[in-house]
């Protein structure tokens, strides 16, 4: 693949900042981004940020509409590094696990799985009941990675932005993307053990 490409899905769970920050970081890393966001995600944008929908969409290189199941990201022949869904609602997670592709968001995720590419789900709801956990197990068996955005307090975060950045940086690690601001134990943390 000449150009590094990553699909970024954003569902309607709380935490749209994770998807927005991922798009910003991927731009810094010169990774071409292909965004598909649910209507609920755009509603969450209004609840949780001061950004407009146009500003949000402008963070991506290519934006797709949810009903556009004929989009390039709906085909396995369109080569990508995989897909990050940030945040990922339980509904979106469940549709992917069931193979239900009622929208471009879940269709693109299904394609990523069938092509044996990396699918990372930043599942953003809690607490989980047994059905959620079994769905996560099923997705893990299918090759997806469940990566809830949990704070890493060993990084000594000073702000919410620090917490978001670390979570997104660690999710991007799963695509072998090394963002310089991801804080690493044993490398750049004063309290982290070395050698």
């Amino acid at each position: 693949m000449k150009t590094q490409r990553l699909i970024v899905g954003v569902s309607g769970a709380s935490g749209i900042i994770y998807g927005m920050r991922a798009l910003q970081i991927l731009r810094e890393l010169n990774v071409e981004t292909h965004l598909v966001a649910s209507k609920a995600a755009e509603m969450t944008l209004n609840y949780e940020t001061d950004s407009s929908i146009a500003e949000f969409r402008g963070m991506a290189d290519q934006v797709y509409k949810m009903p556009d199941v004929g989009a390039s990201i709906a085909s396995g022949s369109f080569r990508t590094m995989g897909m990050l869904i940030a945040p990922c609602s339980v509904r979106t997670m469940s549709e992917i696990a069931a193979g239900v592709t009622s929208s471009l968001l879940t269709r693109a995720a299904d394609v990523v799985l069938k092509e044996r590419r990396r699918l990372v789900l930043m599942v953003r709801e809690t607490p989980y009941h047994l059905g959620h956990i079994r769905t996560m197990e099923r997705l893990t068996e299918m090759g997806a990675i469940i990566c809830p955005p949990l704070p890493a307090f060993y990084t000594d975060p000073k702000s919410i932005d620090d917490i978001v950045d670390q979570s997104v940086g660690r999710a991007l690690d799963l695509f072998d993307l090394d963002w310089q601001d991801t804080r690493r134990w044993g490398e750049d943390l004063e309290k982290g053990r070395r050698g």
Side-chain angles (χ1 to χ4, degrees), residues 88-100 131-132 135 138-139:
C88 182
S89 67
V90 164
R91 175 185 173 160
T92 298
M93 176 184 74
S94 299
E95 281 189 21
I96 297 165
V100 176
H132 298 150
T135 300
R138 185 172 180 193
L139 280 164

Side-chain angles (χ1 to χ4, degrees), residues 50-152:
D50 294 326
S51 297
S52 70
I53 291 172
E55 289 169 329
F56 170 54
R57 291 176 180 166
M59 294 176 177
D61 294 299
Q62 181 71 43
V63 180
Y64 303 90
K65 294 180 180 174
M66 285 285 279
D68 187 8
V69 293
S72 58
I73 61 173
S75 172
S77 66
F78 185 74
R79 295 178 64 194
T80 68
M81 301 167 68
M83 182 175 188
L84 170 67
I85 303 182
C88 182
S89 67
V90 164
R91 175 185 173 160
T92 298
M93 176 184 74
S94 299
E95 281 189 21
I96 297 165
V100 176
T101 57
S102 63
S103 70
L104 181 57
L105 179 62
T106 52
R107 170 64 185 163
D110 191 66
V111 167
V112 165
L113 286 175
K114 83 176 182 68
E115 296 294 327
R116 307 303 192 265
R117 296 176 185 145
R118 185 68 41 100
L119 175 63
V120 176
L121 308 177
M122 293 182 83
V123 180
R124 225 331 260 125
E125 295 187 30
T126 188
Y128 303 124
H129 60 62
L130 184 57
H132 298 150
I133 293 167
R134 287 185 175 153
T135 300
M136 291 180 201
E137 176 186 34
R138 185 172 180 193
L139 280 164
T140 301
E141 290 171 344
M142 293 165 67
I145 297 174
I146 307 300
C147 182
L150 302 173

Side-chain angles (χ1 to χ4, degrees), residues 113 129 158 162 186 194:
L113 286 175
H129 60 62
K158 305 293 186 217
D162 288 347
R194 295 191 179 149

Side-chain angles (χ1 to χ4, degrees), residues 18 149-153 157 159-168:
Y18 294 109
L150 302 173
F153 292 107
S159 66
I160 291 173
D161 288 343
D162 288 347
I163 293 170
V164 170
D165 284 356
Q166 185 69 16
S167 292
V168 173

